[in-house]
Amino acid sequence: MADTPLLKVEDLCTHYHLPQGTVRAVDGASLSVKPGQTVGIVGESGCGKSVMLRSILRIVPRPGRIESGRILYARADGQVTDLAALDQDGRAARAIRGAEISMIFQEPMTSLSPVHTIGDQIGEALILHRDLSRKAARAETVAALDRVAMPRAERIVDMYPHEISGGMRQRAMIAMALCCGPRLLMADEPTTALDVTTQAQILALMRRLQEEDGMAIVFVTHDLGVVAQMTEFVVIMYLGRVVETGPVRDIYYRPKHPYTHALLHSIPKLGQRRAGARLQSVKGGLPDPYLTMTGCPFAPRCPHNDGDRCEREAPALRSVGAAQEVRCHYAERLDLQGVRKAVTA
Amino acid sequence: MSDAILKVRDLKKHFGGKKPLFGKAPRAVRAVDGIDFDLRRGETLGLVGESGCGKTTLGRCIVRAHDPTGGEVIYDDPDRGPVDLAALSRKELQPYRLEVQMIFQDPIGSLNPRMTLLEIIGEPMIVNGLATGAEVKKRVGDLLVRVGLRREHMNRYPHAFSGGQRQRIGIARALALNPKVIVCDEPVSALDVSVQAQILNLLQDLQRDGDLTFLFIAHDLGVVEYVCNRVAVMYVGRIVELAETDDLFARPLHPYSEALLSAVPVPDPEVEGHPHLLQGDVANAVNLPPGCHFHPRCVYCVARCRTEDPELREVNGRKVRCHRAEELDLEGVAQEEAVHG
C-alpha cells in the first residue's frame, strides 16, 4: 500500500471574490503526496502556493473560498476523506488540522502569539488533541523543544516569543507542528525569513526529524537551492496553475516548461561566476491578478510564444516522460537546457 | 589621483548608551564598531553578513543618514580634493549629498505614494539647482528610459507599478543627481527571482555606461558573487574578511566566511551540500564576548581566540581578522562550469 497517496489534490480552485473582481489564486491545481515523501512547491509571489496549502488545511482567510475540486486525504485508519467537502470549522476538520496535518509558517514572529508563552502555545495543541493534563502537557512540551535542539528548553518554555531569536522561534514553531505526531507536515517558506546559517540549521533539523518520524512534507518555497537539497518531487506553479511537475532530477536537468527553464537560469548560482556575462531574465512582470487569461498564462512573458496557438488555447497538463507532467503546447520541441550539460541518466 | 574614491577609517556607530535621569547608563548597541576599507573608483564592493551585523547601518553612515559616533569617511572629490564626510555639518554636507546616493531595499516604503514619478525623481534636481522648468521634465523622461521605463510614466503614481518597476524608479531617483557613488542596500532582496535578474542586469549596464561606484549590501551570496569585484564579510559590526570575489569564494580565510558559503543550498539535486553548521546565534552587539567575537561559534577556536581580540590584518594580499588564518585550510565553493541554456 506504499503507493497509495496520502494526499491527492484534484483540480483545486480557490478564488477570492473582491469588489474589484475575482482573483483566481488557485485555478485548477493538482498535487499528490505519498506517505513519507517530500514534495516541493515552487513559484514566485502570487502564484497561489500559500493559498493551496491553506486550502488543504481549510484555513483560507475570507473572502477566499474553495470553488471546486477535491482534496482527498487518507486518514490513519485508511479512510479517505475529502477535505474540500468538510465544514471548515466542523469537528472533523478540526480533528485533522493540527493533529494529522500540521503547518509551519513563514514568519515565526507574526504566527506565534505575542501574549502567550512558548510553553502555553505548544501545550494548547497537546491538551486539545491528546487530552493531556496541564502538567503532562508541560513535560511533553519540554521534550518537544528538546527534540528540535532548543537550547535551555526548560527555561524557553516560560518565555515569550519576543524574548528569543528568529531561529529559536522557528524551532519553537516546528516543535509545535510536530508535537502531535502529524503524518503530513506543510511548511510554508519555513526558512525564507532566516539568515543562511540559521537556514542551514533548520533544514538539517527538518531532515533529521523526517528520518525519525517518517512523515510526509510539503515544502513551499521560492528558493530553488532549498528545493534541490530537500525534496524528491517538485511542483512548479505559475498564476494559480501547476505548469510542471516531476521528480527533482527531471525538473533540474530536463526542464520542459519555459517558465521552469527561466527560473533555473535567472538565479546567480554560487560557484558559477560568469564574469561580464548577463543573467537571463524573464521579460515583464506578473500580470494583473484580476485579469482572466485566454491562452497560456505564461505566453506574454514566454520567449517561445508562437503568437497564435499559445495566445488562443490554454494548454492542458499532460504527461511527458515517466513521471513528468507539463502544461505547454511545445514541451517536446523546445529542447530546454537544465542546470548542467552532462546528465547522468 | 588615488584610486580610492571613498576611504572609510575606523567608522563607528553606537546606538543608545546615554545615561538616563536616574540610574546608570545602559550599554550601547555597537552596530558598527571600527570599520576600515577603501572603495575603489568604478568597482562594486559587496558587503555581506547576517541580519543585525550592521551592514545597513554602515551604508547609512556613509550617506550620512545616520551621524557616525566616530571615525572618518573620506570622499576624494575630483574638483575639491579629499574631504571627511563624517565631520561635516549638515550645511557643509549639502554639495556632497549629490555625489553619494542610496537605493533602498523596500521599493514600496521608500517612494512617497502621493507624489508622481516626475515629482519623486525631479524634486532632488530642483532642490539642488541642477535643472528647472521644462529641463526637469526632459531629464526625468531620459532617466525613466535609461532604467527601462517609459517617458509617459512620469505622471503616474508609484502604486501603479509592480515591485520590479518600483525598484527601477528608486534607481532613477538615485541617478537623478549624477552621483559618483551609490550605496545599494539590498536592492533585489524584495523582488522575485525572475525580476531580480532584470534589476541586476540594469545595475551592471548603468555602471558600465556611467562612471559609477557601488557599495552593494546584500545577504544573498549568489547575487554578491555575480555583481561584485570585491567582497567584505561583516560579523557583529566589524569586517572579518575582505578579498577579491573569486579568491573569497574559492578559498575563504575566515571560518565565518567558510560557514556562510557552505550554508547556501546548491540548486542541483546531485550536488550534496555539506553545510558547516554554526552553533548558537549571532553574538549580541550589546554584550560582546571577550576575545574574538566569533569564537563561541567557531569550530577552529583555540585558547588564544578566547582572550585575544584579533586585528584585521593582511594575509596574502587579503584582509582577514583571524589568529589562525595562515594555518587553517578552509573550504570554498567549487567552481563549476556554467551552463547557458
Side-chain angles (χ1 to χ4, degrees):
Chain A
M1 289 283 281
D3 265 9
T4 23
L6 180 66
L7 178 77
K8 197 164 166 54
V9 178
E10 289 172 352
D11 270 325
L12 181 71
C13 290
T14 305
H15 294 177
Y16 283 75
H17 297 287
L18 300 171
Q20 301 95 308
T22 300
V23 177
R24 295 178 165 77
V26 179
D27 201 18
S30 305
L31 174 77
S32 168
V33 185
K34 291 180 193 133
Q37 195 182 30
T38 312
V39 173
I41 304 181
V42 189
E44 293 176 284
S45 45
C47 76
K49 50 195 196 305
S50 294
V51 176
M52 173 123 119
L53 286 199
R54 283 172 171 71
S55 302
I56 295 170
L57 262 194
R58 299 305 309 274
I59 50 167
V60 179
R62 273 169 221 289
R65 239 177 57 198
I66 297 181
E67 295 289 323
S68 61
R70 299 204 293 169
I71 304 168
L72 300 175
Y73 170 70
R75 297 198 61 168
D77 54 18
Q79 223 174 353
V80 175
T81 319
D82 182 4
L83 300 181
L86 294 178
D87 171 15
Q88 69 174 22
D89 300 320
R91 187 183 289 264
R94 281 184 295 147
I96 293 174
R97 177 164 63 220
E100 293 192 35
I101 307 180
S102 61
M103 185 149 171
I104 306 173
F105 295 89
Q106 172 171 5
E107 214 338 302
M109 192 65 212
T110 48
S111 41
L112 291 172
S113 161
V115 295
H116 295 96
T117 61
I118 299 287
D120 282 348
Q121 297 184 52
I122 300 177
E124 189 189 2
L126 289 166
I127 293 168
L128 190 70
H129 290 295
R130 287 180 36 191
D131 243 348
L132 296 180
S133 68
R134 291 202 152 268
K135 210 172 154 199
R138 191 191 152 90
E140 196 67 11
T141 302
V142 174
L145 289 175
D146 267 330
R147 265 195 81 206
V148 297
M150 179 78 87
R152 307 185 305 280
E154 303 80 27
R155 280 185 52 207
I156 299 287
V157 150
D158 296 320
M159 286 189 174
Y160 290 90
H162 70 89
E163 294 178 281
I164 59 180
S165 72
M168 279 156 80
R169 269 180 231 137
Q170 200 57 288
R171 280 176 202 274
M173 271 296 280
I174 295 175
M176 193 190 299
L178 296 186
C179 66
C180 294
R183 300 167 63 227
L184 176 61
L185 176 67
M186 301 205 280
D188 186 5
E189 310 248 12
T191 58
T192 308
L194 306 174
D195 285 308
V196 275
T197 53
T198 317
Q199 167 175 298
Q201 292 172 355
I202 297 293
L203 293 182
L205 170 71
M206 289 182 69
R207 225 176 272 142
R208 175 174 64 92
L209 293 173
Q210 189 182 20
E211 268 167 35
E212 288 171 12
D213 289 6
M215 68 210 160
I217 301 184
V218 177
F219 211 106
V220 164
T221 178
H222 66 266
D223 186 329
L224 288 162
V226 172
V227 175
Q229 297 297 315
M230 294 293 291
T231 65
E232 301 151 41
F233 199 83
V234 181
V235 175
I236 311 269
M237 285 184 76
Y238 186 73
L239 294 180
R241 282 171 227 192
V242 173
V243 295
E244 186 167 1
T245 70
V248 65
R249 277 158 209 239
D250 287 338
I251 297 285
Y252 279 72
Y253 301 143
R254 288 172 286 273
K256 289 282 186 282
H257 196 282
Y259 180 64
T260 312
H261 176 258
L263 278 184
L264 290 173
H265 291 275
S266 59
I267 345 156
K269 292 175 204 69
L270 215 53
Q272 295 195 339
R273 187 170 159 81
R274 286 162 275 190
R278 289 174 69 86
L279 281 178
Q280 298 180 3
S281 57
V282 192
K283 68 175 176 192
L286 292 168
D288 185 352
Y290 300 113
L291 276 182
T292 323
M293 305 279 264
T294 52
C296 173
F298 190 57
R301 306 178 74 189
C302 183
H304 306 286
N305 183 354
D306 67 356
D308 177 37
R309 193 174 170 203
C310 294
E311 308 213 329
R312 274 188 296 114
E313 190 188 329
L317 195 65
R318 63 206 171 83
S319 189
V320 284
Q324 205 169 357
E325 285 185 301
V326 63
R327 199 187 279 276
C328 175
H329 292 309
Y330 299 112
E332 289 86 356
R333 278 195 254 160
L334 293 177
D335 191 27
L336 300 170
Q337 191 68 248
V339 291
R340 317 185 188 176
K341 261 190 189 117
V343 176
T344 42
Chain B
M1 196 170 80
S2 98
D3 79 329
I5 190 162
L6 201 68
K7 285 183 191 157
V8 176
R9 292 288 173 269
D10 199 27
L11 191 66
K12 283 182 182 155
K13 175 68 192 174
H14 297 177
F15 292 100
K18 243 195 226 143
K19 191 187 172 321
L21 190 52
F22 300 105
K24 63 175 190 219
R27 290 213 220 181
V29 176
R30 285 144 77 171
V32 171
D33 201 21
I35 294 275
D36 290 87
F37 68 87
D38 287 356
L39 190 59
R40 297 179 190 153
R41 214 174 284 276
E43 81 167 342
T44 302
L45 176 68
L47 203 54
V48 297
E50 292 175 282
S51 43
C53 74
K55 49 193 196 302
T56 295
T57 307
L58 173 60
R60 289 185 175 226
C61 285
I62 290 172
V63 296
R64 279 287 299 269
H66 288 320
D67 289 327
T69 310
E72 299 175 336
V73 179
I74 299 162
Y75 174 68
D76 187 19
D77 192 301
D79 310 319
R80 287 163 285 205
V83 58
D84 179 10
L85 297 183
L88 295 181
S89 70
R90 297 254 148 202
K91 209 170 165 199
E92 291 167 321
L93 196 65
Q94 198 63 39
Y96 299 101
R97 292 267 193 211
L98 279 64
E99 314 276 333
V100 187
Q101 284 290 321
M102 188 153 182
I103 299 171
F104 297 92
Q105 170 172 8
D106 177 5
I108 298 162
S110 58
L111 300 174
N112 187 335
R114 289 161 178 260
M115 288 165 86
T116 62
L117 299 203
L118 177 63
E119 289 165 325
I120 289 173
I121 303 168
E123 188 182 47
M125 298 180 192
I126 298 167
V127 169
N128 288 291
L130 288 186
T132 49
E135 172 74 6
V136 177
K137 263 193 169 167
K138 189 186 165 298
R139 282 209 192 190
V140 171
D142 291 346
L143 278 168
L144 286 177
V145 172
R146 218 172 134 195
V147 298
L149 296 170
R150 287 205 299 273
R151 223 170 264 277
E152 54 270 28
H153 286 157
M154 71 170 78
N155 293 316
R156 296 195 192 165
Y157 290 89
H159 71 82
F161 297 90
S162 69
Q165 287 174 321
R166 282 181 221 192
Q167 199 53 285
R168 289 175 194 268
I169 299 166
I171 294 172
R173 176 177 58 186
L175 292 173
L177 300 173
N178 298 318
K180 298 284 180 296
V181 178
I182 299 186
V183 176
C184 311
D185 186 8
E186 307 252 16
V188 294
S189 56
L191 306 176
D192 278 313
V193 282
S194 69
V195 179
Q196 171 177 311
Q198 295 171 0
I199 299 295
L200 291 178
N201 284 336
L202 172 66
L203 286 173
Q204 286 198 319
D205 290 345
L206 292 171
Q207 185 170 40
R208 208 170 34 234
D209 301 343
D211 165 41
L212 281 173
T213 307
F214 288 139
L215 180 65
F216 195 95
I217 301 171
H219 66 269
D220 184 330
L221 291 162
V223 169
V224 165
E225 191 198 28
Y226 181 72
V227 297
C228 298
N229 306 100
R230 291 192 305 153
V231 180
V233 182
M234 276 183 80
Y235 188 74
V236 276
R238 289 172 170 189
I239 289 178
V240 294
E241 184 164 0
L242 176 64
E244 299 285 331
T245 308
D246 288 340
D247 294 345
L248 179 78
F249 283 80
R251 187 172 175 270
L253 292 180
H254 196 283
Y256 180 63
S257 314
E258 181 190 44
L260 264 190
L261 291 177
S262 71
V264 180
V266 192
D268 186 333
E270 275 180 20
V271 178
E272 212 173 307
H274 298 284
H276 294 250
L277 291 183
L278 288 179
Q279 299 301 310
D281 284 311
V282 178
N284 185 343
V286 178
N287 193 3
L288 289 165
C292 173
H293 295 342
F294 186 59
H295 89 255
R297 308 177 78 190
C298 183
V299 286
Y300 308 103
C301 170
V302 293
R304 188 179 171 202
C305 304
R306 293 193 192 93
T307 51
E308 198 182 320
D309 195 6
E311 292 289 310
L312 189 64
R313 63 205 171 86
E314 195 127 341
V315 177
N316 304 333
R318 303 159 57 170
K319 290 210 173 101
V320 59
R321 193 189 283 275
C322 176
H323 292 307
R324 303 185 62 199
E326 287 91 345
E327 44 175 319
L328 295 176
D329 185 19
L330 303 180
E331 193 184 339
V333 185
Q335 299 283 323
E336 275 176 49
E337 195 202 341
V339 175
H340 304 265

